[in-house]
Amino acid sequence: MNMIQAINSAMEVMMARDPAVVVLGEDVGYFGGVFRATAGLQKKFGKTRVFDTPITECGIIGVAIGMGAYGLRPVPEIQFADYIYPALDQLASEAARLRYRSAGEFTAPITIRSPFGGGIFGGQTHSQSPEGIFTHVSGIKTVIPSNPYDAKGLLIAAIEDNDPTLFFEPKRIYNGPFDGHYDHPVQPWAKHDGSEVPEEYYRIPLGTAKVVRAGEAVTILAYGTMIHVVSGVVAASGVDAEIIDLRTLIPLDIDTITASVEKTGRCMIVHEATRTSGFGAELAAQVQERCFHSLEAPIERVTGYDTPYPHSLEWAYFPGPVRIGEALKKILKD
Amino acid sequence: MPVDRPNANLRPLSLHVPEPKFRPGDTVDFSDLAVPPAGAAPRPASDAAPDSFRDLAYGLVRVLGEDNRAVGAWDPKLSPDRLRAMLRAMALTRAFDERMYRAQRQGKTSFYMKSTGEEAVAVAAAFALLPDDMCFPSYRQQGLLIARDWSLVDMMNQIYSNRADRLHGKQLPIMYSVREKSFFSISGNLATQYPQAVGWAMASAARGDTRIAATWCGEGSTAEGDFHSACTFASVYRAPVILNVVNNQWAISSFSGFAGAEATTFAARAVGYGIAGLRIDGNDALAVYAATEWAAERARTNQGPTLIEHFTYRAEGHSTSDDPSQYRSAHEAAEWPLGDPIKRLKDHLIALGEWDEERQAAMDLELAETVKAAAREAEKNGVLGHGLHQPLETMFEEVFEDMPWHLAEQRQEMLDEAKAAGLEIGR
């Protein structure tokens, strides 16, 4: 399966298992979603379980919270993560705090799916990576898969989870992994290990990172599309790097991270999102606090620049192989 | 600012910034406020088409007339027992407000908000709904809980954030949550409960349930984007929901003109959404009851949502942190042409020969005693700042269903610091 098919399969499995699971969002019903992630679901489960909504993100999330309070398990879609901001109040003030403020009387067991990230010439409003805004909000979990197998298992776990969970889908790798070489032909998922996806139910627990490549020289923390970019750079450079796919940012798998950095003594963090106050800053702070005596070099961050996501200069902005390669040389120099 | 361009000779534009009629010190004259006579508004069938509500959305449904008699098609024809029960819940709400306002002034809690003058809006609606219809209130519908016979002691425990507070001292006073009474957790963020109520109602409909939802916001909050999204969703999916707008004329210091009241009514918003819209006398408990009963029937028969504007007046300050004498005339509340909801219902019962001033005085005394006794009971569990709060570590609980490591770690840090400082650490 490609990533879209895996995500579609996760929803189909969960809707068949649990009648409380409902899917809502702009164009998700009859049409099956602008990325086809919900294709066929309305036909199979009916209009009262999979339905199109008006174009109002605060409404989509607000309604999903109310459905959750009733006892349903809604999976709302925000068409692009760039358009999640109208729903920020409902997410940060309501979904994230409902359990806390009612001392558990009411909860928001909702999973917000949203395509995110750049590398597709999406310009300013089809490329953003806003995960850092949400990891800053207590009460929300944040999940970002990097391959079809993980996408299905993590999405199933997110839907089953009783806390509100953001599920950001790197749309650059919906149809195939992307190593950052935009001038090379796109590789389909079929050639990648992660494309073997069982048809049936399985779950990957939230809060578990995955060591994508074991190594001794440096720890690289990344997620989403960046896993593939980093893997390409590491393979080409011959550096014995340990690459960790975080998979969930909140809860964070801190043990896997610290064990790795204590072993390698070096830590590089890679994300597409802008640098200042990005999630990389939290990762760097955690590693610095916990692995201070193991560190042999300053922690490196390779991220998007602190600018809005540009259109024509996309490949200068995107933290691609060249920038990651340079940072790798730098961190290994000392 | 000189303008050098074509058409610079046109008359300059001017910006209209609304201004309330009366400011502090002004004499109040409400004589130009249109108050239609009781009984004049027609009562359509509950399955009437949404586009037939134009006149009702701009009018004012009233049942109780100047002679304290119930008249017209909207008279819900309640039994004297029911009327007395409603009167009692409204009076209890006021007595509760009085006591808790005083408790705040005495430093027993940080904050309180009264609903004085608006008791009918919540209480009469609660009487017209079924007990398991889900309410998504704002912070000024404490009357819902009181009408649903919820424990005053429990409400006070929440206000005092004491060791018996079911919300573990996590919430600002009055932000109740009572699932048992189908009363949704109150949020400080305005109008957010509006789309949530619509979603709850949609879920009920999608599951073939028979329960409906009702939500409340003030007229000021109708300006929030969530109000628009909720109305759109409610209309699109014909959600079984009652959307109440409590137009009490004031949003803290801003008069209703800043929410658009100079140009139209709040019930008239419904017209544009294709929702049935009723504008009613919010100080007339029978009108509130009748409109809610009508809207509930409409919702329960799959005819869709209703928006009800309750035309009322916020008789007191916005909250204990507010001083209304700084922005409005002190005479407004007394001059308000729709009167006091409790007095009007009382006078109606008296006119029916089912009540008298002596019984009212005795009831008021009894209710004051009831509230006082509840306060004594609640204060045994502690008042704010007097030590009997929840154990410190509860702060970290219920952020998530299971506590992740980073919260467990922060909890331990806090407990270690408290211990090092010699503080009592709770459990």
Side-chain angles (χ1 to χ4, degrees):
Chain A
M1 289 185 196
N2 66 26
M3 195 126 131
I4 287 285
Q5 290 161 334
I7 286 163
N8 182 281
S9 173
M11 284 186 276
E12 186 177 343
V13 164
M14 285 312 296
M15 292 192 77
R17 277 173 76 93
D18 183 353
V21 176
V22 294
V23 168
L24 63 153
E26 297 157 17
D27 305 299
V28 305
Y30 183 86
F31 179 56
V34 294
F35 290 104
R36 317 305 302 151
T38 55
L41 295 180
Q42 187 180 72
K43 194 167 183 200
K44 181 159 186 186
F45 297 102
K47 287 201 295 184
T48 58
R49 291 192 62 198
V50 182
F51 55 89
D52 294 310
T53 64
I55 304 173
T56 157
E57 286 78 12
C58 69
I60 291 168
I61 302 302
V63 157
I65 292 168
M67 293 181 135
Y70 177 91
L72 299 189
R73 205 168 272 280
V75 186
E77 176 183 302
I78 301 294
Q79 204 161 75
F80 287 87
D82 313 63
Y83 304 134
I84 205 167
Y85 307 119
L88 193 57
D89 189 35
Q90 286 287 348
L91 286 168
S93 309
E94 301 293 318
R97 293 161 195 242
L98 186 54
R99 178 189 296 279
Y100 193 72
R101 75 172 198 234
S102 69
E105 271 203 331
F106 295 96
T107 58
I110 65 175
T111 302
I112 303 100
R113 288 183 42 249
S114 192
F116 103 132
I120 57 150
F121 275 110
Q124 295 188 26
T125 56
H126 296 81
S127 307
Q128 293 170 38
S129 300
E131 69 274 20
I133 291 172
F134 296 97
T135 55
H136 189 60
V137 175
S138 50
I140 293 186
K141 293 177 177 172
T142 303
V143 180
I144 303 170
S146 70
N147 61 70
Y149 180 84
D150 284 1
K152 179 170 174 179
L154 289 166
L155 181 53
I156 286 175
I159 293 171
E160 286 186 333
D161 197 278
N162 289 324
D163 292 312
T165 303
L166 276 165
F167 191 85
F168 284 129
E169 302 166 1
K171 56 187 169 297
R172 184 63 183 79
I173 56 172
Y174 267 156
N175 294 309
F178 176 62
D179 62 6
H181 290 283
Y182 55 92
D183 45 349
H184 296 180
V186 177
Q187 298 297 308
W189 273 114
K191 294 182 180 170
H192 189 279
D193 291 347
S195 68
E196 277 183 39
V197 180
E199 296 285 343
E200 66 274 9
Y201 170 93
Y202 67 93
R203 71 201 300 272
I204 297 172
L206 306 186
T208 57
K210 184 177 158 195
V211 178
V212 176
R213 181 192 188 283
E216 302 290 332
V218 56
T219 298
I220 304 179
L221 305 179
Y223 45 90
T225 305
M226 286 302 136
I227 291 298
H228 305 283
V229 182
V230 164
S231 296
V233 174
V234 167
S237 67
V239 171
D240 186 23
E242 181 146 301
I243 303 171
I244 298 179
D245 182 353
L246 298 179
R247 300 200 294 196
T248 64
L249 307 190
I250 304 285
L252 184 66
D253 184 351
I254 195 70
D255 293 340
T256 299
I257 295 170
T258 52
S260 176
V261 177
E262 277 166 11
K263 179 178 69 173
T264 64
R266 289 179 164 83
C267 179
M268 190 165 113
I269 296 156
V270 185
H271 62 56
E272 280 185 73
T274 49
R275 184 171 307 164
T276 302
S277 303
F279 191 67
E282 176 62 25
L283 288 171
Q286 291 286 353
V287 169
Q288 188 271 143
E289 280 172 26
R290 284 155 212 276
C291 310
F292 184 75
H293 296 290
S294 306
L295 286 174
E296 292 168 35
I299 299 164
E300 277 291 323
R301 279 186 289 163
V302 188
T303 68
Y305 296 118
D306 285 340
T307 69
Y309 204 108
H311 185 245
S312 67
L313 299 178
E314 168 144 64
W315 300 116
Y317 175 94
F318 187 88
V322 173
R323 283 171 56 201
I324 293 170
E326 289 303 309
L328 202 52
K329 281 185 212 159
K330 188 178 162 198
I331 199 169
L332 291 169
K333 204 172 58 187
D334 298 316
Chain B
M1 191 165 47
V3 182
D4 182 20
R5 55 176 172 76
N7 301 328
N9 59 337
L10 292 177
R11 281 178 61 193
L13 294 165
S14 63
L15 178 69
H16 172 68
V17 179
E19 183 63 30
K21 283 201 184 118
F22 317 111
R23 285 297 194 184
D26 289 348
T27 306
V28 171
D29 178 8
F30 281 124
S31 59
D32 63 342
L33 194 93
V35 179
R43 184 180 188 278
S46 65
D47 63 353
D51 62 5
S52 65
F53 286 82
R54 198 187 175 285
D55 290 346
L56 283 164
Y58 287 97
L60 197 66
V61 172
R62 307 180 71 225
V63 174
L64 289 172
E66 302 305 318
D67 60 356
N68 302 317
R69 295 282 176 178
V71 286
W74 286 95
D75 176 9
K77 299 197 163 55
L78 300 178
S79 70
D81 277 347
R82 200 96 169 113
L83 292 172
R84 279 188 290 261
M86 215 149 75
L87 178 67
R88 182 186 162 83
M90 284 163 62
L92 181 55
T93 303
R94 186 166 294 181
F96 183 85
D97 279 353
E98 291 297 336
R99 186 87 203 170
M100 289 298 97
Y101 181 88
R102 192 142 31 106
Q104 191 277 337
R105 289 298 187 245
Q106 291 168 338
K108 290 173 182 171
T109 186
S110 62
F111 183 75
Y112 192 69
M113 296 177 106
K114 298 168 100 173
S115 63
T116 313
E118 302 171 39
E119 292 90 348
V121 170
V123 169
F127 271 73
L129 294 169
L130 295 178
D132 58 355
D133 287 336
M134 188 70 191
C135 294
F136 289 78
S138 82
Y139 45 67
R140 224 184 288 279
Q141 281 78 49
Q142 53 265 55
L144 291 170
L145 280 177
I146 290 174
R148 285 182 168 179
D149 294 323
W150 185 240
S151 152
L152 301 184
V153 176
D154 183 82
M155 292 169 77
M156 289 171 178
N157 287 337
Q158 197 280 328
I159 290 165
Y160 292 145
S161 276
N162 62 25
R163 63 184 171 187
D165 174 12
R166 283 182 307 104
L167 307 187
H168 303 164
K170 285 169 169 159
Q171 262 287 36
L172 189 72
I174 70 145
M175 304 283 182
Y176 312 109
S177 176
V178 187
R179 191 183 176 92
E180 207 182 315
K181 289 292 179 184
S182 295
F183 183 98
F184 189 70
S185 157
I186 298 173
S187 169
N189 297 66
L190 298 177
T192 50
Q193 76 279 10
Y194 245 62
Q196 293 165 6
V198 173
W200 195 98
M202 287 170 65
S204 182
R207 296 307 288 266
D209 199 342
T210 59
R211 291 175 292 168
I212 64 170
T215 185
W216 287 259
C217 76
E219 90 286 349
S221 301
T222 62
E224 293 281 6
D226 279 333
F227 178 82
H228 168 67
S229 74
C231 290
T232 303
F233 267 83
S235 169
V236 167
Y237 302 98
R238 294 186 199 164
V241 64
I242 305 174
L243 306 164
N244 294 285
V245 174
V246 185
N247 176 6
N248 66 13
Q249 317 300 322
W250 291 94
I252 309 187
S253 75
S254 301
F255 87 114
S256 57
F258 283 99
E262 283 185 341
T264 184
T265 69
F266 294 97
R269 305 281 190 230
V271 175
Y273 290 105
I275 295 175
L278 302 173
R279 187 165 179 266
I280 69 164
D281 178 349
N283 289 11
D284 177 344
L286 296 187
V288 174
Y289 183 100
T292 307
E293 184 186 44
W294 183 95
E297 184 185 314
R298 185 174 176 85
R300 246 183 275 280
T301 52
N302 286 307
Q303 304 299 326
T306 303
L307 192 156
I308 305 175
E309 174 185 349
H310 302 260
F311 195 68
T312 181
Y313 187 81
R314 195 193 77 208
E316 303 228 9
H318 166 70
S319 72
T320 48
S321 307
D322 180 41
D323 175 8
S325 73
Q326 298 297 307
Y327 51 79
R328 70 182 188 187
S329 169
H331 306 295
E332 276 196 20
E335 294 293 322
W336 183 245
L338 299 179
D340 177 283
I342 295 179
K343 182 175 186 306
R344 283 175 68 190
L345 185 56
K346 177 194 79 173
D347 290 345
H348 173 56
L349 271 160
I350 293 174
L352 291 176
E354 293 287 349
W355 197 242
D356 53 52
E357 294 290 358
E358 291 72 36
R359 288 164 83 180
Q360 178 76 25
M363 182 180 79
D364 283 343
L365 208 62
E366 178 228 320
L367 294 178
E369 275 308 313
T370 302
V371 171
K372 210 155 118 188
R376 271 198 301 269
E377 202 55 40
E379 285 172 25
K380 283 184 199 159
N381 301 316
V383 293
L384 187 70
H386 287 229
L388 295 176
H389 51 69
Q390 303 276 330
L392 296 188
E393 59 265 41
T394 58
M395 190 197 311
F396 296 90
E397 292 164 4
E398 286 140 356
V399 179
F400 296 99
E401 183 173 39
D402 300 314
M403 193 179 299
W405 65 268
H406 66 283
L407 286 177
E409 199 177 89
Q410 289 168 31
R411 178 181 59 178
Q412 195 54 50
E413 270 173 35
M414 181 198 65
L415 291 175
D416 291 347
E417 284 163 11
K419 199 173 170 188
L423 298 176
E424 177 208 353
I425 61 165
R427 280 175 195 159

